[in-house]
């Protein structure tokens, strides 16, 4: 679980890596193919995740969120980094706050859930609902946007890694 109000400075190395990644998706009309890094593939699962997430948020009296392409790319970057390094951690792709800042959400409250082993986006959301900290993240009161991704690596410990990013604005 990671939740932060964003107001710190970015690390230059993190900014450079994310800048390159985000440059390719600077227009919301651009759709990038699934990323393949070595034997790791990642994919946008936001549409499937959105249904389960908004169903959960409605059950909690919260408004729906919608998919934001920049957050999809952040989620893909995080999931790919975890699968590539065989590490289930928020920091593997750089600190969360810097990643969200670099995507243009400096003044937003943001949160990230990561996970592994689930076979579907709905399964990942279901698991996070049962986890108090992840549940709290998905109940981010004024959340408006989300992105969710899955990365697979047959040679890794968990095989499948998941990332969900939510922001308020």
């Amino acid at each position: 679980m990671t939740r932060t109000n964003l107001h710190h400075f970015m690390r230059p190395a993190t900014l450079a890596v994310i800048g390159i990644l985000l440059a390719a998706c600077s227009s919301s009309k651009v759709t990038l193919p699934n990323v393949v890094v070595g034997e790791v593939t990642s994919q946008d699962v936001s549409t499937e995740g959105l249904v389960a997430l908004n169903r959960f948020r409605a059950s909690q009296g919260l408004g729906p969120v919608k998919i934001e392409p920049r957050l999809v790319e952040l989620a893909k970057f995080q999931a790919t980094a975890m699968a590539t390094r065989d590490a289930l951690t928020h920091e593997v792709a750089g600190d969360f706050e810097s990643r969200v800042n670099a995507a243009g959400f400096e003044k937003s409250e943001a949160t990230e859930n990561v996970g592994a082993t689930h076979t579907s986006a709905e399964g990942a959301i279901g698991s996070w609902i049962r986890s108090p900290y992840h549940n709290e993240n998905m109940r981010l009161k004024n959340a408006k946007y989300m992105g969710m991704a899955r990365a697979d690596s047959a040679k890794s410990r968990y095989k499948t890694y998941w990332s969900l990013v939510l922001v308020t604005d």
Side-chain angles (χ1 to χ4, degrees), residues 18-84:
I18 293 177
I20 292 167
L21 176 70
L22 294 176
C25 62
S26 61
S27 167
S28 62
K29 294 180 182 178
V30 174
T31 302
L32 296 178
N34 291 342
V35 176
V36 178
V37 178
E39 296 182 28
V40 175
T41 59
S42 68
Q43 59 186 322
D44 173 4
V45 294
S46 299
T47 301
E48 181 186 352
L50 182 69
V51 172
L53 178 61
N54 278 338
R55 184 174 42 238
F56 168 70
R57 288 181 57 82
S59 77
Q60 302 297 302
L62 298 167
V65 295
K66 61 184 180 179
I67 298 169
E68 163 52 55
R70 293 174 291 173
L71 298 179
V72 171
E73 292 307 312
L74 283 181
K76 284 173 71 174
F77 187 68
Q78 174 66 21
T80 299
M82 291 188 300
T84 300

